[in-house]
Amino acid sequence: MRFLRTERLGSVQTIWLNNPPYNFLTDEVMGELIDLLRTIDGDREVRAVVLTSAVEGVFVSHYSVSEILDGVQSAPVVLNPRTAGAALRMSEFADHVPGGRAGLARAGAGGVTNLRRYHEVCRLMRESSTVFVAALNGRALGGGCELSLACDLRLMAEGPFEIGQPEILVGIIPGGGGTQMLTRVLGAGRALELCLEGAPIDPRRALEIGLVHRLVDPDELLNEAQRTAARLAKRSPTAVRGIKNAIHQGGSVPLEKGLHIERTHFLTAASTPSAKRAMALYLADVEAPIDAGGDISDFVADGLPDWVAGTRVDFTE
């Protein structure tokens, strides 16, 4: 791969984005990433992924503006929401026709295909049974912020870095899922503020509003992300997929539909042999201190940390 570096340590795979000096996302970068993610999705040995950057001080500056501009300059007409929707449907149809994508590119609609490829990368991450941890080692703007939002956890280096959605400053809107994921992560008010202002925020402000989960010393960022990934890699993959689906899909539909999605994944996870073994072991662990004359607080203090660390049960499914 030209733009990605990878390393496997146990059940954790680390991916470094490597397109110096600014680490722009491009169609080629996303092509490599989608191929790698599909491989990971079919590899039962990979249970967690750390996504970071090989470029010092930069996670992703943003998606290549030159590629976006090329895509729209070649378009024969100015689009409105109706014609843009038709172009997207045509792009979806072209996926199933030999040479369809090349034909779209010649017709000036190649940018639509690139946009859908970006969304496919993020979809694979959100729907996977693999846990994704973003280690933001620097600037994460536009498509970089959106790529981090497709991860399950975001750790960011403390320092003079920026994160946000500046697309409106050049007259466009986030196109990699930013409006949708920011609304789900931060709520509509914060999402509107970030997207309308366009001004990046610093790591401390990002932590304050919940855009990132933790701030870490830059020298410790990768180690902390890998430790977090290694711990979460020990969770049940069936439960991981169920939680991600219930939150991402169920959280954006009416409550009754969301509850149905949750119930479906609850029953699916509970029926696995490893979950049955784990629940039986948990009951035994809870009963032991009680039988010895203690109470549930003894288990919480002494036994629960082993469960949190993922060292008590091996979830092999």
Side-chain angles (χ1 to χ4, degrees):
M1 293 178 290
R2 179 183 173 191
F3 298 106
L4 303 178
R5 285 172 35 203
T6 68
E7 178 183 79
R8 173 88 68 85
L9 183 60
S11 56
V12 176
Q13 184 148 349
T14 302
I15 303 172
W16 287 268
L17 301 167
N18 189 28
N19 187 22
Y22 303 113
N23 235 22
F24 291 143
L25 294 178
T26 67
D27 187 48
E28 287 185 284
V29 174
M30 300 309 285
E32 287 190 6
L33 191 53
I34 198 170
D35 288 342
L36 179 58
L37 291 176
R38 285 171 175 163
T39 299
I40 289 172
D41 200 47
D43 188 342
R44 294 171 61 88
E45 299 301 316
V46 179
R47 305 277 284 272
V49 169
V50 173
L51 184 62
T52 190
S53 162
V55 180
E56 185 176 354
V58 179
F59 176 67
V60 170
S61 288
H62 48 69
Y63 199 93
S64 170
V65 174
S66 64
E67 284 197 4
I68 298 173
L69 184 58
D70 287 344
V72 295
Q73 280 185 329
S74 60
V77 295
V78 175
L79 299 176
N80 57 42
R82 182 178 61 82
T83 55
L88 286 168
R89 289 190 292 274
M90 184 172 63
S91 173
E92 293 167 2
F93 176 75
D95 287 347
H96 307 287
V97 177
R101 289 188 176 183
L104 282 178
R106 290 192 298 272
V112 176
T113 302
N114 295 353
L115 187 63
R116 290 183 53 245
R117 177 177 288 186
Y118 192 108
H119 287 171
E120 176 66 8
V121 165
C122 295
R123 185 194 67 78
L124 284 169
M125 295 166 65
R126 287 194 299 268
E127 295 183 3
S128 174
S129 61
T130 302
V131 175
F132 284 83
V133 179
L136 307 177
N137 59 308
R139 182 190 310 128
L141 299 177
C145 181
E146 290 169 313
L147 190 62
S148 77
L149 285 166
C151 293
D152 305 304
L153 295 178
R154 288 169 294 285
L155 280 58
M156 190 169 191
E158 293 188 274
F161 307 122
E162 313 90 19
I163 184 170
Q165 303 287 163
E167 290 87 349
I168 197 169
L169 302 180
V170 293
I172 60 176
I173 77 168
T179 61
Q180 302 306 297
M181 292 306 297
L182 281 173
T183 300
R184 287 159 174 76
V185 170
L186 303 179
R190 293 289 191 203
L192 278 166
E193 181 183 26
L194 283 177
C195 293
L196 289 174
E197 287 283 1
I201 59 176
D202 63 28
R204 290 197 175 276
R205 179 60 175 162
L207 177 66
E208 180 182 312
I209 66 174
L211 182 54
V212 300
H213 295 90
R214 298 204 298 274
L215 299 186
V216 185
D217 182 277
D219 294 334
E220 288 297 317
L221 177 66
L222 182 59
N223 287 337
E224 177 62 19
Q226 289 174 329
R227 283 193 294 267
T228 300
R231 180 176 67 254
L232 298 182
K234 296 173 182 176
R235 306 299 193 238
S236 159
T238 302
V240 167
R241 187 191 298 273
I243 286 170
K244 290 167 68 166
N245 189 264
I247 289 174
H248 289 305
Q249 304 299 325
S252 58
V253 298
L255 178 60
E256 283 306 314
K257 290 185 178 180
L259 289 173
H260 175 75
I261 293 172
E262 181 182 275
R263 287 192 295 268
T264 299
H265 287 290
F266 174 86
L267 293 173
T268 300
S271 69
T272 61
S274 60
K276 294 174 183 177
R277 290 194 304 269
M279 286 186 283
L281 182 58
Y282 178 86
L283 283 175
D285 282 356
V286 170
E287 291 166 355
I290 296 175
D291 291 342
D295 59 31
I296 190 69
S297 61
D298 296 325
F299 166 73
V300 172
D302 300 328
L304 192 59
D306 290 337
W307 288 85
V308 173
T311 58
R312 197 70 179 94
V313 179
D314 179 21
F315 288 100
T316 53
E317 299 165 3

